Amino acid sequence: GHDLHGLIFGPDGKLYFSIGDRGFNLKTWDGKTLAVIDTGSVLRCEPDGTNLEVVATGLRNPQELAFNEAGDLFSVDNNSDGGDKARFVQILEGGDSGWRIGYQFIEEPNSRGIWNSEKMWHPAWDGQAAYILPPLANFTDGPSGLAYNPGTALNESQKDRFYISDFRGASSSSGIRSFRARPKGATYELADADQFLWGFEVTDCDFGPDGSLYATDWVEGWNKTGKGRIWKVSAPEMDENPLVAETRKLIAEGAEGRTNEALAGLLGHADMRVRQAAQFELSRRAVSADENEAKAVFLVLGEVANKGSDRAKVHTWRAIGQVLKTYNEGRFNFSLPAMLKDTDVTASEDHGVVRINMVRALSQSKAMPDRVFLPLLDSKSPRLRMEGLMALARTNATPKAAPAITKLLASSDGRDPYLRHGAVMALTRIWTASPANAEALRPMADHASPNVRMGVLLAMRRAGEAGISRFLEDTDPAIVLEAARAIAEVPGFEGQLPKLASLATKPIASDSLARRVLAACEMTGDARGLVLIATRNDMTEAVRVEALNLLADWTSPSPRHPISGLARKVGDRPSDSAVAALLPVLPQLVTTAPEGVRKATARAAGKLGLKDAAPTLRTLVADTTRPADSRVEALRALVALQDDNLDAVARGAIRDADPGVRVEAVRVVAMTNPEAAVDTLREVLESGPIRERQGSFATLGEMANPKADALLNDWLDRLASGNVPAEVRLDLTEAAAHRGLKEKLARYEASASKDDPLASYRDALVGGDAARGRRIFREKAEVQCLRCHKVEGDGGEVGPELTGILTKKDRGYILESIVLPNKQIAEGFETQLVAKTDGQVIAGIVKGENDKEVRLMTAEGKLVVIPRAEIEDKARGNTAMPEDIIKNLSRTELRDVVEFLASTRAK
């Protein structure tokens, strides 16, 4: 019942699958809740569904899963349409990629909250949150599938390659990308990336037994089309290759009927699927057969482990690992460990997959002692160091392993997020095994190396150890911040929140730390702490405003966590403590603080009902030396306070020099003295600036007053005769519609040209607010403009770059592109299908056409020139932009977006 994507058998014989970003309760078949997951995750279980467990979390929308030859697991993770990028990620046991479903609903103080502001979706960088495993690369825009060449597919040039389906809503910009994951340190890096097959809306791809790559095609657009295609991609030179035919035959026949020796011979086959089938069958026989049959299987496996090819050895060790998971020594008369006594995991220092899979296999036995794996921590290979750490995390590691882990963390490995993750997993396993173990490890928290202290902190976070608050006093700012992250965001640390809140009185090194302190103050009811930060001149304006916004919502806190955005149980609370904290500093904040802080202070005073603040707010409204926004907010606060002098204050502000103050003052007078307000509105509409006229029409639309309706009717008559400025026509018609003045409004609408599909939208061409339009473009989830278009340096690359569009096109083009996206497709994004007289069909991006020929750029990057005489038929492909996007924009919002796009300037 959840957003299931990838489904694949792993080299350990378990079934792996990925679930998307919606969050879910993980339960067993008998209804037992294992975990509450608030993020996209990778899970695994036995083939029969037992032993269900979470492998990794923190993914947003993980798509397909793919294992490479080494047995490492990868996925492609989709972005959140909030300016972040899609990710290619390696999946490690216990890994957390950082995403929480609550981020999807955060728009203030920035879109997606800390996911964007703290660059959590970026590949590894100094200063990144230490508890996450960063992606290997930001790659593709719409990943929807992932496959790995099994070894016999396509041709030699395609060996060891991954294939990602990149779906971007239009065939011209969609297709399959290919690349290699090249070993680098303890993990991998992206290499040799290319557009393998381009020009179709691929949603998934996978390899068939015949060595071909099969891909599904959505055909067009984002919405349901009622049609689709499946493409087959093959290499002609492989059609007669006997290895391909053999692979297809072996897969079809299966492994069950073969002898142990025959299966052992297949462990080194060129195709991963054949090798894995043989491995699974041998391991099944080893655990289900009687003693003699089991011994026969192990004799065969032992022979291959000693003399087989590297490929065969890899799968031999994987089979042994499958057995070790369930092996009960008392079941047989022979000793399995004795059969493995000659194995030495440190015998080689290479990065080879044989050694890696040997370590993984041995770590499947919970009884395997520390001494088997500890030497790996001194290996020259970063990869083997990490495998040793992960092996300790799987087995019953003891505090005896602590010195080796400490030494590794204290080195430069302590800064490598992948090696650090392995160390943290091993420490967590030891820490949680018993109270005595935890006590033995506790001195590591005082180690001189910040890398060691960070590793211990992260282990304590995983263990839910209350003592994590000690790190709030650390001398390293990065460690203090990491402790604050854990305490503010992880359930179970609520008892440590007061200590985090107490940092409001101490030096705070970054906005990231300040936000966790604010969250702690809000969650513990420490209004004084919020006010302390709001008044601190050493804090950024953004942090101070955030503190005041939390105060403004004090009596009815948000049902979402202030950092993670996750749902939480909160109730209303009295305003007393917030009022008592804010009132003494209100004059200081209103008079000497930066503009944004003054504005937020006025809002908070109004929402908290600070009656005693009214004199200060009145002074702020009248102070013409102060910026308009804070004075407007002060006036709104007086409205919220129902101030006795409100009418007089508003009347005085009507003649203010700033149009924004005047607009708000008129709106207030319309509430306190409607009759007088109509006369003022009439004057403004005759000669006021455009912004004031727009505000006046909005005010008239809210007034249930006969004089107001009469004034609107008068202006509707002017509209019918063409005597209303274009910038306020939309405001007039919106106000008239709100007041139900249907007759004259209908006459105006009927006067528009019946042949103009944009007629009902043309009043949105001018008069918008660029700042509001920018917020809609970047943050409104229903339209998700930033998902596809880059503007001012941010956004996707599915559609054309929109910065400076007015230098190439006019406002009419911008309007039409939003309302009728397929009317004119931007140059370089038009696609065309051409059917030739000889039966050939060619698809590509139009690069030019005239009376004699059509020129198309194909998916392979080849320019094809097609003479008109050879064209039987042709059809244009649609844009990737949804045709019904206008349904999610009001006409006022449309006008604001047009204004924003028109205001951008190319650098």
Side-chain angles (χ1 to χ4, degrees):
H2 292 287
D3 197 8
L4 179 66
H5 292 300
L7 190 66
I8 188 172
F9 276 104
D12 56 359
K14 292 190 175 184
L15 184 64
Y16 287 72
F17 55 99
S18 57
I19 292 181
D21 65 337
R22 290 177 176 81
F24 56 93
N25 290 336
L26 178 62
K27 296 185 177 183
T28 58
W29 293 119
D30 61 1
K32 178 183 177 183
T33 299
L34 296 179
V36 178
I37 310 296
D38 53 34
T39 171
S41 304
V42 175
L43 300 93
R44 68 184 173 198
C45 61
E46 301 297 339
D48 63 0
T50 58
N51 297 329
L52 182 63
E53 60 183 328
V54 179
V55 179
T57 60
L59 298 153
R60 183 188 174 271
N61 203 10
Q63 301 295 303
E64 289 283 355
L65 302 168
F67 287 92
N68 66 0
E69 290 222 11
D72 294 317
L73 179 59
F74 301 86
S75 186
V76 282
D77 192 22
N78 233 314
N79 61 46
S80 71
D81 304 319
D84 51 334
K85 301 293 185 184
R87 296 159 293 284
F88 176 61
V89 294
Q90 182 179 359
I91 304 297
L92 290 184
E93 291 168 276
D96 183 347
S97 292
W99 174 261
R100 303 292 182 265
I101 182 58
Y103 297 154
Q104 193 73 45
F105 311 105
I106 296 177
E107 299 300 345
E108 296 293 341
N110 64 287
S111 177
R112 307 297 183 263
I114 62 171
W115 179 247
N116 275 334
S117 66
E118 298 183 11
K119 300 180 181 178
M120 298 179 74
W121 50 268
H122 288 233
W125 59 279
D126 290 339
Q128 196 169 35
Y131 73 89
I132 71 171
L133 270 181
L136 301 181
N138 295 133
F139 192 57
T140 74
D141 282 276
S144 57
L146 180 68
Y148 181 76
N149 191 319
T152 60
L154 302 176
N155 57 30
E156 287 296 319
S157 70
Q158 298 298 308
K159 293 290 181 62
D160 306 318
R161 296 188 73 85
F162 286 91
Y163 302 82
I164 290 183
S165 306
D166 193 2
F167 176 82
R168 300 163 119 199
S171 59
S172 62
S173 57
S174 301
I176 298 175
R177 297 182 184 271
S178 174
F179 63 94
R180 286 188 171 89
R182 183 168 56 202
K184 181 182 180 182
T187 182
Y188 293 83
E189 64 180 352
L190 213 67
D192 305 328
D194 65 17
Q195 289 185 352
F196 173 74
L197 187 64
W198 211 247
F200 71 116
E201 291 202 65
V202 60
T203 55
D204 201 3
C205 61
D206 207 351
F207 287 97
D210 61 350
S212 299
L213 180 67
Y214 290 82
T216 52
D217 183 0
W218 192 258
V219 182
E220 62 181 26
W222 296 96
N223 301 319
K224 295 178 180 179
T225 60
K227 54 189 173 183
R229 291 182 287 235
I230 296 178
W231 296 90
K232 173 183 176 181
V233 185
S234 60
E237 65 268 30
M238 299 296 283
D239 289 345
E240 304 301 323
N241 189 316
L243 182 59
V244 175
E246 178 189 68
T247 300
R248 186 171 189 172
K249 182 174 183 292
L250 289 169
I251 291 174
E253 291 175 349
E256 290 82 354
R258 304 182 189 279
T259 66
N260 291 340
E261 291 72 20
L263 290 172
L266 294 178
L267 291 176
H269 195 272
D271 192 282
M272 286 173 59
R273 297 166 295 184
V274 174
R275 299 196 300 271
Q276 186 158 285
Q279 168 201 325
F280 286 2
E281 178 60 17
L282 284 169
S283 64
R284 184 190 68 79
R285 293 179 185 182
V287 298
S288 63
D290 62 29
E291 180 178 337
N292 290 331
E293 288 179 301
K295 184 175 287 188
V297 172
F298 277 103
L299 287 172
V300 169
L301 291 175
E303 184 73 14
V304 178
N306 289 321
K307 299 180 181 179
S309 66
D310 281 356
R311 280 177 175 168
K313 289 178 180 179
V314 164
H315 286 271
T316 296
W317 279 108
R318 290 177 183 172
I320 291 172
Q322 287 182 262
V323 175
L324 283 174
K325 284 188 304 181
T326 56
Y327 180 71
N328 181 353
E329 189 172 347
R331 179 179 169 194
F332 302 126
N333 292 327
F334 65 90
S335 169
L336 181 60
M339 294 186 66
L340 305 175
K341 68 181 186 303
D342 294 330
T343 62
D344 179 3
V345 296
T346 64
S348 172
E349 292 292 353
D350 64 17
H351 186 95
V353 295
V354 176
R355 195 69 47 189
I356 289 168
N357 282 272
M358 180 191 296
V359 174
R360 290 176 179 171
L362 295 178
S363 69
Q364 296 302 314
S365 171
K366 305 300 182 188
M368 203 63 65
D370 295 354
R371 57 182 169 78
V372 174
F373 307 112
L374 283 176
L376 289 168
L377 275 57
D378 288 322
S379 169
K380 294 179 182 178
S381 164
R383 181 57 184 280
L384 280 176
R385 294 200 291 276
M386 188 179 78
E387 291 295 339
L389 290 164
M390 296 301 290
L392 289 170
R394 295 186 197 104
T395 56
N396 292 323
T398 69
K400 292 180 181 179
I405 298 173
T406 300
K407 177 183 176 183
L408 182 143
L409 281 172
S411 70
S412 59
D413 288 343
R415 294 192 297 272
D416 182 312
Y418 283 80
L419 282 166
R420 182 174 58 206
H421 173 74
V424 169
M425 292 294 290
L427 286 175
T428 304
R429 179 63 179 248
I430 300 170
W431 196 292
T432 56
S434 71
N437 280 8
E439 198 61 35
L441 293 183
R442 213 173 298 279
M444 291 178 65
D446 295 317
H447 197 279
S449 167
N451 291 341
V452 175
R453 299 200 303 276
M454 182 68 83
V456 175
L457 186 165
L458 295 173
M460 291 174 74
R461 171 187 171 124
R462 285 180 174 272
E465 174 63 52
I468 198 172
S469 61
R470 65 178 294 163
F471 291 106
L472 293 175
E473 300 172 358
D474 200 277
T475 56
D476 189 323
I479 291 177
V480 175
L481 174 56
E482 204 62 37
R485 285 186 172 115
I487 294 169
E489 300 166 36
V490 179
F493 286 120
E494 290 81 3
Q496 310 302 306
L497 286 170
K499 189 167 183 179
L500 176 57
S502 71
L503 296 188
T505 63
K506 300 177 181 179
I508 296 177
S510 65
D511 282 11
S512 295
L513 177 58
R515 289 196 171 98
R516 271 73 180 188
V517 175
L518 291 177
C521 291
E522 192 265 2
M523 289 188 283
T524 58
D526 185 358
R528 180 175 170 274
L530 294 178
V531 171
L532 281 173
I533 290 182
T535 57
R536 284 178 58 168
N537 292 325
D538 62 334
M539 292 283 92
T540 63
E541 182 176 341
V543 165
R544 297 174 71 181
V545 167
E546 196 166 335
L548 288 161
N549 287 341
L550 289 172
L551 274 173
D553 298 331
W554 187 259
T555 58
S556 298
S558 169
R560 295 194 174 276
H561 189 283
I563 299 294
S564 69
L566 295 172
R568 59 175 181 164
K569 291 182 179 179
V570 291
D572 292 348
R573 56 188 171 190
S575 63
D576 301 4
S577 61
V579 170
L582 182 58
L583 191 57
V585 299
L586 192 103
Q588 168 193 344
L589 290 173
V590 165
T591 57
T592 65
E595 159 65 6
V597 175
R598 286 197 295 269
K599 180 179 176 182
T601 301
R603 175 177 176 270
K607 292 199 69 175
L608 289 171
L610 269 71
K611 289 281 189 181
D612 292 341
T616 302
L617 294 171
R618 289 184 216 125
T619 300
L620 178 57
V621 172
D623 188 349
T624 56
T625 66
R626 300 299 181 189
D629 283 353
S630 59
R631 296 169 63 210
V632 167
E633 201 61 55
L635 189 53
R636 290 171 180 167
L638 289 170
V639 173
L641 294 174
Q642 297 180 341
D643 181 46
D644 294 338
N645 297 301
L646 181 60
D647 184 60
V649 173
R651 281 174 171 274
I654 282 178
R655 303 302 176 187
D656 197 90
D658 185 88
V661 174
R662 293 197 299 269
V663 168
E664 188 63 25
V666 171
R667 189 183 72 82
V668 174
V669 171
M671 293 186 288
T672 60
N673 193 335
E675 296 293 324
V678 172
D679 293 335
T680 301
L681 290 168
R682 181 177 286 106
E683 292 179 25
V684 173
L685 291 176
E686 289 294 344
S687 57
I690 290 298
R691 181 179 174 187
E692 285 187 70
R693 295 191 194 188
Q694 290 177 337
S696 296
F697 279 126
T699 299
L700 285 169
E702 296 171 0
M703 294 177 66
N705 182 281
K707 287 182 66 176
D709 287 350
L711 183 55
L712 282 174
N713 272 306
D714 177 51
W715 276 88
L716 286 172
D717 290 335
R718 299 190 191 193
L719 182 64
S721 59
N723 292 322
V724 174
E727 292 87 351
V728 299
R729 290 173 191 160
L730 180 58
D731 306 278
L732 169 57
T733 56
E734 292 285 303
H738 197 262
R739 292 298 307 136
L741 308 179
K742 299 179 181 179
E743 185 178 343
K744 290 184 178 180
L745 194 58
R747 283 205 298 268
Y748 169 68
E749 292 171 348
S751 67
S753 170
K754 302 297 187 294
D755 299 324
D756 182 5
L758 294 176
S760 59
Y761 299 101
R762 292 211 176 271
D763 286 343
L765 270 174
V766 292
D769 184 302
R772 287 198 304 259
R774 186 178 189 275
R775 287 195 297 272
I776 294 166
F777 186 93
R778 296 180 62 85
E779 299 170 7
K780 185 165 184 176
E782 293 84 354
V783 291
Q784 299 181 338
C785 304
L786 210 62
R787 174 167 85 174
C788 299
H789 295 284
K790 181 173 286 187
V791 66
E792 297 178 335
D794 279 337
E797 298 178 354
V798 175
E801 161 80 48
L802 297 179
T803 306
I805 190 172
L806 210 60
T807 62
K808 309 169 193 173
K809 304 289 184 179
D810 60 16
R811 287 172 179 262
Y813 175 84
I814 299 174
L815 182 70
E816 184 180 71
S817 296
I818 300 172
V819 177
L820 301 171
N822 282 307
K823 183 78 179 295
Q824 290 188 63
I825 301 176
E827 185 178 349
F829 290 84
E830 318 98 325
T831 60
Q832 203 164 77
L833 293 175
V834 175
K836 296 178 62 179
T837 53
D838 61 3
Q840 184 181 10
V841 177
I842 300 175
I845 296 173
V846 178
K847 290 300 179 183
E849 58 182 308
N850 52 39
D851 294 340
K852 296 181 179 180
E853 61 190 24
V854 173
R855 286 170 289 150
L856 300 180
M857 182 66 72
T858 68
E860 294 78 21
K862 181 181 178 182
L863 184 65
V864 178
V865 179
I866 310 170
R868 289 276 184 184
E870 297 178 11
I871 297 176
E872 181 176 309
D873 196 10
K874 63 177 183 173
R876 191 186 70 172
N878 286 335
T879 174
M881 189 167 168
E883 287 199 52
D884 61 351
I885 197 169
I886 190 61
K887 294 179 181 178
N888 297 308
L889 287 172
S890 69
R891 291 197 302 168
T892 302
E893 288 176 321
L894 173 62
R895 181 174 67 175
D896 291 340
V897 172
V898 170
E899 189 66 35
F900 164 61
L901 293 176
S903 70
T904 62
R905 295 289 180 266
K907 293 183 179 180

